[in-house]
Amino acid sequence: MSTIRPRAMALRAAFTVLATIFFFLAFRHLGFADVFLFIGLMPLFAALLAGSMLGEQVTPVAWGALGAGFVGVLCLFPTGFAQLGFGHMVAFLAAFFGTVSIILSRYISRFESNGLAQVLYPNLALLTVMALALPFVWRTMPLIDLSLAMGYGAVLFAARWLLVVALRGLPAHAVTSLLKLQFVWMVLIGAWVFGEWPTAQTYLGAGIIVLSGLFLAYEVPIARLIARHVVRA
């Protein structure tokens, strides 16, 4: 499976590996809530990088929606950080590296339509790096854990492919904002599986996140629709 942008693909694979490693370290040193707070920064990173790397301009209205989405993330975690440490720095870098990988995917999508190539090569790079480290950390896994790992790998592969497809039609900052819907899934799963019922402030934050993500996803179609009516008038 070939690619017509091998250098960009190699960079995307490298940043995907870095993001995966740093996210793993972040989850070792921080709780889920703290790490997901840094994931909430990814749309802001995407908006900042889109201009220099992709030449895509972010409108002031979109900046407002991005800011509102981040406020929604903060509403989900009102207690904040007790102290900053190594885990926070690693989570920050993980979110940044992950955003660069997404930006590169958006760039590659301008030149080729083979979404599977963008999933194959980063995962192949990750497989190679982890295979080199495996002899130093090898532990025999129970069959149930191996089955869960295989299921996780299949779901992750499908999710990354869908992400590449989404980046063909939407700006990077819009796609990363839609990724914040995972906060909502976290709230719902926490209530359903673990009996952790959200507070009113959590529901407020989830609502802000959903609305800001939907606005950014439909910002371009809405703008075109408004412009069309203005021209007709």
Side-chain angles (χ1 to χ4, degrees):
M1 188 179 295
S2 61
T3 174
I4 60 176
R5 283 292 183 273
R7 293 182 180 179
M9 189 70 76
L11 283 174
R12 169 168 159 74
F15 277 102
T16 299
V17 171
L18 287 173
T20 302
I21 294 174
F22 275 73
F23 270 123
F24 174 80
L25 292 174
F27 280 117
R28 285 191 62 185
H29 292 86
L30 297 176
F32 274 99
D34 290 343
V35 176
F36 279 125
L37 179 56
F38 284 95
I39 295 176
L41 292 173
M42 292 180 70
L44 299 178
F45 288 149
L48 291 171
L49 295 172
S52 59
M53 296 181 65
L54 300 175
E56 296 179 351
Q57 298 300 318
V58 182
T59 65
V61 177
W63 275 113
L66 288 166
F70 184 64
V71 170
V73 174
L74 295 179
C75 289
L76 290 176
F77 312 110
T79 56
F81 296 126
Q83 60 181 3
L84 295 177
F86 174 76
H88 302 98
M89 179 185 67
V90 170
F92 181 88
L93 291 175
F96 178 77
F97 292 147
T99 305
V100 175
S101 175
I102 290 175
I103 293 287
L104 288 168
S105 176
R106 170 78 168 165
Y107 170 78
I108 296 170
S109 296
R110 292 178 173 179
F111 303 97
E112 62 180 45
S113 59
N114 187 1
L116 287 177
Q118 290 203 53
V119 181
L120 173 64
Y121 290 112
N123 280 283
L124 187 60
L126 188 59
L127 173 64
T128 302
V129 173
M130 294 300 105
L132 293 175
L134 188 60
F136 302 98
V137 295
W138 172 263
R139 290 185 181 180
T140 302
M141 297 178 63
L143 184 59
I144 183 63
D145 290 346
L146 182 60
S147 300
L148 290 173
M150 293 176 63
Y152 168 75
V155 172
L156 182 62
F157 190 93
R160 287 181 172 175
W161 176 75
L162 289 173
L163 179 64
V164 170
V165 174
L167 286 166
R168 294 179 191 168
L170 291 174
H173 65 272
V175 174
T176 50
S177 289
L178 287 173
L179 289 177
K180 288 191 294 185
L181 288 173
Q182 62 190 309
F183 292 109
V184 181
W185 314 142
M186 183 181 66
V187 170
L188 295 176
I189 293 173
W192 181 45
V193 178
F194 301 104
E196 300 172 351
W197 294 99
T199 63
Q201 188 170 5
T202 301
Y203 282 116
L204 174 63
I208 295 174
I209 290 170
V210 172
L211 291 176
S212 65
L214 290 176
F215 176 83
L216 287 168
Y218 288 99
E219 179 193 13
V220 175
I222 291 174
R224 290 176 179 173
L225 181 63
I226 294 175
R228 188 180 306 167
H229 285 287
V230 170
V231 170
R232 289 179 179 176

